[in-house]
Amino acid sequence: MSENTISMPRLNEAAPAFEALTTHGKKSLADYHGKWLILFSHPADFTPVCTTEFMAFARRQKDFAALNVELLG
């Protein structure tokens, strides 16, 4: 792969640095240094599956936090 090729990170590869404006303010990958991070997204249109997935993550948030895992959707 050339240096200019952009692709999604694969397993065991570092995630690219990012900054994003969220409903909880500006977030960046550096904010999660030293923690595990589950980064998830949804398609442009909200579907019942997306809603179900977001709710499932929210219900388990305390379980993830106990394992030093942050969620970012």
Side-chain angles (χ1 to χ4, degrees):
M1 220 182 285
S2 81
E3 289 182 37
N4 297 328
T5 302
I6 298 173
S7 66
M8 296 295 293
R10 291 178 230 154
L11 291 176
N12 211 26
E13 289 184 350
F18 66 85
E19 284 190 352
L21 185 56
T22 75
T23 56
H24 294 273
K26 189 189 273 188
K27 299 288 181 179
S28 71
L29 182 60
D31 296 335
Y32 302 95
H33 183 79
K35 295 185 175 202
W36 290 99
L37 175 64
I38 296 177
L39 178 62
F40 57 98
S41 64
H42 57 81
D45 57 342
F46 286 93
T47 64
V49 173
C50 296
T51 304
T52 302
E53 292 166 346
F54 277 107
M55 291 170 58
F57 275 119
R59 279 194 295 272
R60 302 290 307 272
Q61 191 276 330
K62 288 182 182 178
D63 298 327
F64 286 112
L67 297 169
N68 197 34
V69 176
E70 296 281 340
L71 302 173
L72 182 60

